[in-house]
Amino acid sequence: RMEKKQNEPEESSGTKNLQFSEVLYLLSKKVNLGYGIPDKYDYPPWRLQTGSAPCVDKINPMLNYSIKVQSGVIPKSEEFSEFILSNSSLAVAGMLQYLLGHLDVPSEITFGVLKWAQDARSSEDDFEGIPHIWLSIGDIPVDNTYVAFPPTADNLEYFYECKKVNSYLKENPLETKMRLFLGQEEDEESKEVYRHNIKVLQTYSFKGHILKYLAISLLNPELNPGLKLYSILMLEYLKNNFSISPPKVEDKMSKECWSCKKEYTESDQLRTCTGCKVAKYCDRDCQRQEWKVHKLLHQELEFTKKLLLENAAADEAEQREIEQL
């Protein structure tokens, strides 16, 4: 489905998103940064060691700041009282790859297997690992994904200790003979969502696709406001520390055909997908060629919206029960 950019329908949708984005820009000023990577973890996958790659003096501070942002909080806010972004390996790897590229640091996003430490397995018959996304700088794995733990948890140190360089295997999780943990849900609907998530990780970990995934997410900030906050703060970091101001991912992708990569000076020179109202194409032929990849993002939006509605309904039901007590 295609449409030329129309002022009326696009304006109402764009204004809604713009207003929400403006709120997030204001909230970004109130973020209390988290603790960052403990100093003693000065080796991969958390930091690069001196001499192991060019521009280590630029890369390591950015990795540390990224964890500070993800683990940050906004006091007195319901949404961000515990963290800004958690367990978002694909989005974080994609944003870091984009930002590092503007520092002339090449990197690759790897979709592989994170092998579990032996002491994390209950027996030899237990699962051996999970599908995972990380950034590779040269041959060095860099895992910058923050995972939030409950405030009372005492396993933060174990979180850092259990991930070693040799834990990151460049094996296709869909083809490996290892026994991987793929979720505990037994109902078919949950399994369908998990299969979808694996397809998204596999498909959008490619450099040619990752910015599409980010653009969809950033232009639907109400679905993942933490990622929008992360993007705002990381772009500010690049500007403040290196005097570099790359275009926002969503702006860059609004002036580029998502199929043939042809660039335009204005976004309204392209046609817009009427389903997501984000993806851009030269014409119908370009859209047809990209549909097999792009339809996953339509499904992503549908699954996310459904999950948010279910969570909201559950919260309302819980609130009614409390009021009746």
Side-chain angles (χ1 to χ4, degrees):
R1 297 175 294 171
M2 304 289 295
E3 67 175 5
K4 273 288 188 182
K5 185 176 181 182
Q6 300 293 325
N7 290 333
E8 288 75 18
E10 289 294 326
E11 186 174 340
S12 60
S13 174
T15 301
K16 179 181 177 181
N17 285 342
L18 177 62
Q19 290 173 343
F20 191 77
S21 295
E22 285 180 336
V23 170
L24 292 175
Y25 272 102
L26 292 174
L27 285 175
S28 71
K29 309 300 181 184
K30 299 183 179 182
V31 171
N32 288 348
L33 297 177
Y35 44 77
I37 304 170
D39 292 339
K40 66 178 181 178
Y41 300 109
D42 58 355
Y43 48 82
W46 307 111
R47 289 184 174 95
L48 298 183
Q49 294 178 302
T50 302
S52 62
C55 303
V56 169
D57 59 330
K58 296 180 180 179
I59 298 170
N60 283 343
M62 181 182 289
L63 296 177
N64 189 47
Y65 189 79
S66 172
I67 291 289
K68 285 185 175 183
V69 172
Q70 294 175 68
S71 62
V73 298
I74 299 178
K76 299 180 181 180
S77 73
E78 183 176 344
E79 182 76 25
F80 304 109
S81 61
E82 297 181 1
F83 58 85
I84 298 299
L85 196 62
S86 175
N87 209 27
S88 298
S89 59
L90 181 59
V92 169
M95 278 300 303
L96 285 176
Q97 182 184 58
Y98 181 68
L99 298 174
L100 288 170
H102 285 85
L103 296 178
D104 298 320
V105 177
S107 61
E108 294 295 332
I109 298 174
T110 302
F111 173 57
V113 173
L114 177 61
K115 186 178 179 180
W116 284 349
Q118 188 63 40
D119 59 2
R121 301 171 61 199
S122 60
S123 68
E124 287 296 324
D125 295 328
D126 197 3
F127 296 105
E128 298 174 83
I130 57 172
H132 195 51
I133 291 283
W134 64 89
L135 205 60
S136 295
I137 299 179
D139 292 327
I140 305 171
V142 174
D143 192 343
N144 198 247
T145 304
Y146 172 74
V147 178
F149 292 101
T152 56
D154 58 358
N155 54 352
L156 181 61
E157 184 170 344
Y158 179 76
F159 170 70
Y160 286 100
E161 293 285 352
C162 72
K163 293 184 176 182
K164 308 295 184 183
V165 171
N166 59 5
S167 301
Y168 295 82
L169 307 180
K170 291 186 176 181
E171 292 188 30
N172 188 332
L174 302 178
E175 299 176 359
T176 182
K177 295 181 179 179
M178 296 176 64
R179 295 186 300 278
L180 300 185
F181 180 73
L182 301 176
Q184 295 178 322
E185 295 81 359
E186 295 296 332
D187 62 285
E188 188 56 38
E189 184 176 354
S190 297
K191 290 181 179 179
E192 180 186 359
V193 172
Y194 193 87
R195 287 192 292 266
H196 162 77
N197 290 340
I198 292 295
K199 287 181 182 178
V200 169
L201 292 180
Q202 181 187 36
T203 302
Y204 285 95
S205 58
F206 286 101
K207 190 171 184 177
H209 295 325
I210 182 59
L211 294 187
K212 302 171 187 176
Y213 173 84
L214 291 174
I216 285 280
S217 301
L218 292 168
L219 284 171
N220 288 275
E222 67 279 3
L223 302 182
N224 191 352
L227 177 57
K228 182 66 176 181
L229 276 176
Y230 177 76
S231 173
I232 292 169
L233 292 170
M234 292 305 295
L235 286 169
E236 286 182 355
Y237 174 84
L238 210 66
K239 179 180 179 180
N240 294 337
N241 289 272
F242 303 105
S243 300
I244 297 175
S245 299
K248 294 186 291 184
V249 171
E250 55 269 41
D251 290 345
K252 169 181 168 54
M253 295 305 293
S254 72
K255 299 176 183 179
E256 177 182 305
C257 176
W258 287 28
S259 179
C260 72
K261 309 298 182 185
K262 182 178 178 179
E263 296 181 357
Y264 293 78
T265 56
E266 300 294 337
S267 62
D268 58 8
Q269 293 176 282
L270 293 107
R271 293 179 177 269
T272 305
C273 172
T274 59
C276 66
K277 294 182 169 54
V278 175
K280 297 287 185 175
Y281 301 100
C282 298
D283 50 37
R284 293 181 184 275
D285 287 339
C286 278
Q287 190 196 24
R288 290 192 191 100
Q289 292 175 21
E290 215 247 343
W291 175 241
K292 184 177 180 180
V293 170
H294 183 61
K295 68 179 180 181
L296 285 174
L297 292 180
H298 282 217
Q299 294 169 356
E300 179 80 356
L301 291 175
E302 291 172 4
F303 283 136
T304 304
K305 290 175 181 177
K306 181 179 179 181
L307 178 62
L308 290 176
L309 288 173
E310 290 175 350
N311 289 343
D315 290 343
E316 290 178 5
E318 182 179 358
Q319 185 61 37
R320 285 195 296 269
E321 288 180 6
I322 294 174
E323 292 173 354
Q324 292 174 359
L325 293 178

